[in-house]
Amino acid sequence: PLAPQVAQCIAWSSACMGEEVKIEEGSGDEAFVRHADCPWFHWHKRLDLLQEDQPGCDTWFKTVIAEIGVLAERNFRLYTIGATVSWLTFFCQFTALNWIAWDLTESTTWLSIVAVLGVLPFFLFGPFANVLADRHDRFRILLVGEYAALAHTLLLAAAAFWGVLTIGMLSVLVFVGGVVQAFVIPAGFGLLPRAVSGPNLMAAIAVSSAYRM
């Protein structure tokens, strides 16, 4: 049995994939998704796929349920919402910083330098950050890191707004931002076991990996 909203989402996805599907109401606030036919089997025959490459509707359905069902846990749902917003702002900022580097210098060399400075801290501090996340409170590390990221972003915004941002200052701030993220990301991944129950851990990892892409 599923929540009606979850059942409706699965039914829409199945219909888009060419499957015959209908929703049946259960007792109370429950619903069931019934698959009448699955075209995947016909595709497998036509493409002559190997047996292990033939998941079928039942396997796909179970996978979707496992990955969506984990969002029913309140802690993981809150974690996912916050992490998704954080990652969206991170990628927006990454794009904006490269754009500013080009706007300041119109130099592909400086553009490359700024891009490298953004990822270099992951190689320099990544191993130490992972050890730190294993030995200390991950939530506290994540909290401090997010506050540092907020201060870093506000400083960048203020410098750009007042027109005092130079390519040297930008390079330093990009490197500092990379250092912050090098510590935040391992701590964030390490919090997953605290946000979900044991049976849902693999589904939680799959969901968190999806929005990081």
Side-chain angles (χ1 to χ4, degrees):
L2 304 167
Q5 296 86 349
V6 175
Q8 187 65 58
C9 290
I10 294 175
W12 285 338
S13 299
S14 299
C16 290
M17 298 172 68
E19 300 170 15
E20 296 181 16
V21 62
K22 62 180 180 178
I23 299 177
E24 297 180 359
E25 295 183 358
S27 59
D29 192 21
E30 295 180 348
F32 297 87
V33 179
R34 303 293 185 189
H35 288 83
D37 183 40
C38 179
W40 288 353
F41 301 115
H42 305 297
W43 299 342
H44 296 147
K45 291 179 181 178
R46 184 170 68 250
L47 299 176
D48 194 25
L49 297 179
L50 298 175
Q51 184 66 33
E52 55 266 28
D53 294 329
Q54 301 181 12
C57 290
D58 54 344
T59 304
W60 172 83
F61 182 74
K62 291 176 182 177
T63 303
V64 172
I65 290 300
E67 295 190 358
I68 293 180
V70 70
L71 293 174
E73 297 198 26
R74 179 179 179 274
N75 288 338
F76 182 71
R77 186 166 63 250
L78 294 175
Y79 172 88
T80 300
I81 293 172
T84 302
V85 173
S86 178
W87 274 96
L88 285 173
T89 56
F90 170 76
F91 286 116
C92 288
Q93 180 174 296
F94 180 82
T95 303
L97 291 176
N98 284 280
W99 183 269
I100 292 174
W102 174 259
D103 191 52
L104 289 173
T105 64
E106 295 187 0
S107 167
T108 55
T109 301
W110 271 111
L111 189 63
S112 302
I113 291 173
V114 170
V116 170
L117 287 174
V119 298
L120 186 60
F122 290 92
F123 296 97
L124 297 178
F125 302 103
F128 176 72
N130 280 276
V131 172
L132 189 69
D134 286 337
R135 296 185 177 181
H136 298 278
D137 186 355
R138 297 175 185 130
F139 180 76
R140 187 181 297 273
I141 296 173
L142 185 63
L143 191 62
V144 172
E146 292 296 348
Y147 277 123
L150 175 61
H152 169 262
T153 301
L154 291 176
L155 182 59
L156 269 170
F161 179 78
W162 293 107
V164 297
L165 187 63
T166 63
I167 189 61
M169 182 187 299
L170 179 66
S171 300
V172 172
L173 289 175
V174 167
F175 183 79
V176 171
V179 173
V180 172
Q181 291 300 322
F183 285 87
V184 165
I185 292 175
F189 272 116
L191 276 181
L192 283 178
R194 293 175 55 177
V196 297
S197 56
N200 287 327
L201 182 57
M202 294 303 296
I205 293 174
V207 172
S208 63
S209 298
Y211 63 68
R212 281 177 168 83
M213 295 298 176

